[in-house]
Amino acid sequence: MDGACRRSGVAYIGVPGPRRRRGAPAEPPPGRRKGRTKPKKSKAKKILLWTGGSMAFVLVAVSAAGYLYLKHLEGNVSTTDVGSAGKKGFSKDEAFNILIIGTDKRTGKGNEGYGDKGSVGHADTNILLHVSKDRTNATALSIPRDLIVDVPDCPTKQPDGSEKVVPGTQSVRFNTSLGQDGRDPGCTMRTVKAVTGISVDHFMMADFNAVKTLTSAVGGVDVCVAHAVNDKESHLKLPAGKSKVEGEQALAFVRTRHSFGNQGDLDRIKVQQQFLGSLMRKMSSSDTLTNPAKLISLAEAATKALTVDTGIGNVSTLKDVALELKKVPTKNITFTTVPVLDNPAEKVKATVVVNQSQAPAVFDAIKSDVSFTAVKQKEKKEKAEVAARLKGTRSAAADIRVDIYNGGAPGGSAQETLNWLQNTEGVPKSSQLGNAAAPLSKTTVEYSPDQADQARKLADLMGLSASALKPGKSEKNSQGLPAIVLTLGKDFKGAGVSLTTPTKAPEVDKSTADKTVCAS
């Protein structure tokens, strides 16, 4: 297997080159004595070099093990082209959002007792995983399947290569965003964006068999229940306290709705979050990482269970995703759920609606890359320097000389901002100069040192944070006078709408991946 990987061009990090023949003279570099030759790493340690970073999150993470035998495992992974609903590729230098979807489709032997008979595969379990740009934290936001939403129109790719738009529907359960009327995972991604305002970059989807095969591959997952369980519907039987589940029993554990809490979907979501945290801990344990047979079994199970978008549809890219996830400590992976209320339109409570007094703050924190756990701040000095940009004198609004560009905001935003600044905020020395040379994710103000007072005043008017201020050079306006440069990025919400991002996440009901919690 190692030889096959070398022939495919894969280089293991830290693996020494070929040993010289016995008795052959050493050839140290000029001016340097050659030290002892490092012993060749064992197969388990070679595997660990790739898979040590792969255990940060279920489904996504284990795919890194597939790099051991690329083409074979790549043939296991199914892909779906979701078009403009997601990104075409993966960047290691940005925050990213992956939608994890578990469907209720019955496939495989032994699944007759789960899900709806003949289901096309609805979005039964949904977790939006946000991984921070600095990789210090991640947030796993569960979206209830019974959440009432408006599903938007959805362009879907057909088998013959054509595109069909599936019409949207209003006031329906979230789970119908997949499967219903031919909707693909791209429709679920678009629905998440419509509900939360958070753009989804990629998706990963699995059915009932994934839970059974993955838990069996790692030799079972530890779970804890506060009281004994004997559920006739899911056939789950567990004594009070800690147990190990795998295969059929693991699936019953995450599927049961009648053994915990109020026997509803929201309590089942909490149990699923606890289960995923335990699975993550098991996958990152030395018992798994140092067992080559277990790793290979895990790689086979994971890749056969997955359907992903074409943007991450090869093992090399999945490996990159997993290695980035590896950097996030489990103690800083937060599980929480979209804040909801019982549907006020129902007498018999069966569905929920977004809690508009609490949910927007949660969504904004994720969009702004704010952690829900207390993380050790990196680059404190740099952060202090950035914050200092807003400290100092302000010019009068009438003294601001600014050129406005559209760098990714909706069409017409630059003209809208110009009109607002001139007519509402008293900034007459402003010009609108069309589109920027390249799009920006964030709105920025670039200025020379002698224009700092103008930049600070403009930041106040626009509701910009210190990070939006970019000390640098000004440009000459149409009259040949120096002007600061305002570039409206993709985050622009409209003239006069503050772009100050939250610095602290709201208090939410949550758990973290490093803690063992007993389901009750």
Side-chain angles (χ1 to χ4, degrees):
M1 183 181 301
D2 295 340
C5 287
R6 284 194 290 270
R7 287 194 296 272
S8 68
V10 177
Y12 285 101
I13 301 172
V15 178
R19 295 178 178 175
R20 60 187 175 88
R21 297 188 304 276
R22 181 178 297 176
E27 296 180 6
R32 189 177 175 185
R33 294 181 62 85
K34 183 175 179 67
R36 292 185 302 169
T37 302
K38 293 181 180 180
K40 190 172 182 180
K41 294 183 183 293
S42 68
K43 181 180 291 186
K45 289 184 178 180
K46 287 182 182 180
I47 293 173
L48 181 59
L49 288 171
W50 285 115
T51 59
S54 69
M55 305 306 168
F57 197 79
V58 64
L59 301 183
V60 183
V62 294
S63 304
Y67 214 68
L68 295 172
Y69 44 129
L70 292 170
K71 297 304 177 184
H72 166 69
L73 290 183
E74 205 152 277
N76 290 345
V77 181
S78 299
T79 60
T80 298
D81 185 352
V82 296
S84 61
K87 288 187 175 180
K88 298 300 181 184
F90 175 75
S91 172
K92 299 179 184 179
D93 302 319
E94 298 177 351
F96 60 92
N97 301 312
I98 296 180
L99 182 63
I100 311 296
I101 305 172
T103 76
D104 61 358
K105 191 172 184 178
R106 294 181 180 181
T107 59
K109 186 177 179 181
N111 292 326
E112 295 82 2
Y114 300 102
D116 297 326
K117 184 176 181 181
S119 173
V120 293
H122 293 122
D124 190 61
T125 299
N126 309 277
I127 297 176
L128 178 62
L129 175 66
H130 170 80
V131 180
S132 70
K133 182 176 180 178
D134 63 7
R135 309 303 189 238
T136 62
N137 65 93
T139 302
L141 180 69
S142 291
I143 304 172
R145 67 177 189 178
D146 295 328
L147 179 67
I148 295 299
V149 299
D150 292 340
V151 177
D153 293 346
C154 180
T156 59
K157 297 286 185 179
Q158 303 301 301
D160 62 0
S162 63
E163 186 174 270
K164 174 186 176 182
V165 176
V166 180
T169 53
Q170 286 70 51
S171 298
V172 294
R173 279 179 165 87
F174 181 90
N175 67 344
T176 61
S177 64
L178 177 68
Q180 198 81 8
D181 301 321
R183 295 187 179 113
D184 66 8
C187 301
T188 309
M189 295 166 71
R190 295 176 194 274
T191 303
V192 170
K193 175 67 181 294
V195 173
T196 66
I198 302 169
S199 296
V200 183
D201 302 317
H202 304 287
F203 85 88
M204 306 195 77
M205 181 172 67
D207 59 21
F208 291 146
N209 276 336
V211 175
K212 296 199 291 188
T213 56
L214 286 173
T215 54
S216 295
V218 297
V221 173
D222 295 325
V223 297
C224 180
V225 293
H227 55 79
V229 174
N230 186 2
D231 186 352
K232 295 181 180 180
E233 293 197 26
S234 68
H235 308 295
L236 177 66
K237 292 184 179 181
L238 290 176
K242 295 181 179 180
S243 298
K244 181 178 290 186
V245 296
E246 67 175 281
E248 194 73 34
Q249 198 176 30
L251 179 57
F253 184 81
V254 298
R255 288 289 302 167
T256 184
R257 296 211 311 175
H258 303 283
S259 301
F260 308 112
N262 294 321
Q263 303 186 11
D265 190 49
L266 296 179
D267 290 299
R268 186 181 68 155
I269 285 174
K270 291 182 179 180
V271 172
Q272 291 172 343
Q273 292 171 347
Q274 295 161 14
F275 176 84
L276 289 176
S278 181
L279 179 55
M280 289 163 55
R281 294 191 296 273
K282 182 59 179 287
M283 292 164 64
S284 61
S285 69
S286 59
D287 178 57
T288 300
L289 293 177
T290 59
N291 187 327
K294 190 173 288 187
L295 287 173
I296 291 171
S297 176
L298 193 55
E300 290 282 356
T303 51
K304 287 178 180 177
L306 288 175
T307 298
V308 303
D309 61 281
T310 52
I312 54 172
N314 60 74
V315 172
S316 177
T317 304
L318 288 172
K319 179 264 301 181
D320 289 340
V321 173
L323 292 180
E324 292 305 303
L325 285 165
K326 161 242 184 175
K327 300 174 183 177
V328 183
T330 54
K331 67 179 181 179
N332 289 335
I333 301 176
T334 300
F335 290 102
T336 190
T337 304
V338 172
V340 296
L341 299 169
D342 286 335
N343 188 350
E346 295 176 336
K347 290 184 178 180
V348 178
K349 304 304 181 183
T351 62
V352 292
V353 296
V354 172
N355 184 335
Q356 294 298 341
S357 68
Q358 297 179 7
V362 174
F363 302 153
D364 285 345
I366 293 174
K367 284 188 288 186
S368 301
D369 204 21
V370 176
S371 176
F372 282 79
T373 57
V375 298
K376 184 178 181 180
Q377 294 296 320
K378 294 183 176 181
E379 310 295 344
K380 287 187 177 180
K381 181 178 178 181
E382 180 181 344
K383 290 179 181 293
E385 290 175 351
V386 170
R389 295 172 190 169
L390 281 176
K391 296 179 180 179
T393 60
R394 267 75 169 161
S395 72
D399 293 334
I400 298 173
R401 186 177 287 110
V402 57
D403 288 343
I404 307 166
Y405 292 88
N406 189 325
S413 293
Q415 185 62 48
E416 176 192 356
T417 301
L418 175 68
N419 295 338
W420 174 73
L421 286 173
Q422 290 183 341
N423 301 326
T424 305
E425 300 301 325
V427 185
K429 301 174 184 178
S430 47
S431 305
Q432 189 271 106
L433 298 180
N435 293 328
L440 298 177
S441 59
K442 302 287 186 180
T443 296
T444 63
V445 176
E446 188 171 2
Y447 56 96
S448 61
D450 61 343
Q451 297 169 314
D453 59 341
Q454 295 181 43
R456 286 190 283 265
K457 181 60 176 180
L458 183 61
D460 291 344
L461 297 176
M462 296 284 296
L464 296 173
S465 62
S467 61
L469 300 184
K470 306 295 181 184
K473 297 179 180 179
S474 61
E475 69 176 21
K476 296 291 182 66
N477 67 7
S478 57
Q479 287 80 41
L481 298 172
I484 62 179
V485 178
L486 170 64
T487 305
L488 306 177
K490 295 179 181 178
D491 63 336
F492 182 74
K493 301 175 182 177
V497 181
S498 175
L499 292 178
T500 302
T501 57
T503 58
K504 184 179 180 181
E507 292 296 324
V508 293
D509 185 12
K510 65 185 180 182
S511 61
T512 53
D514 63 320
K515 296 289 195 302
T516 299
V517 181
C518 291
S520 59

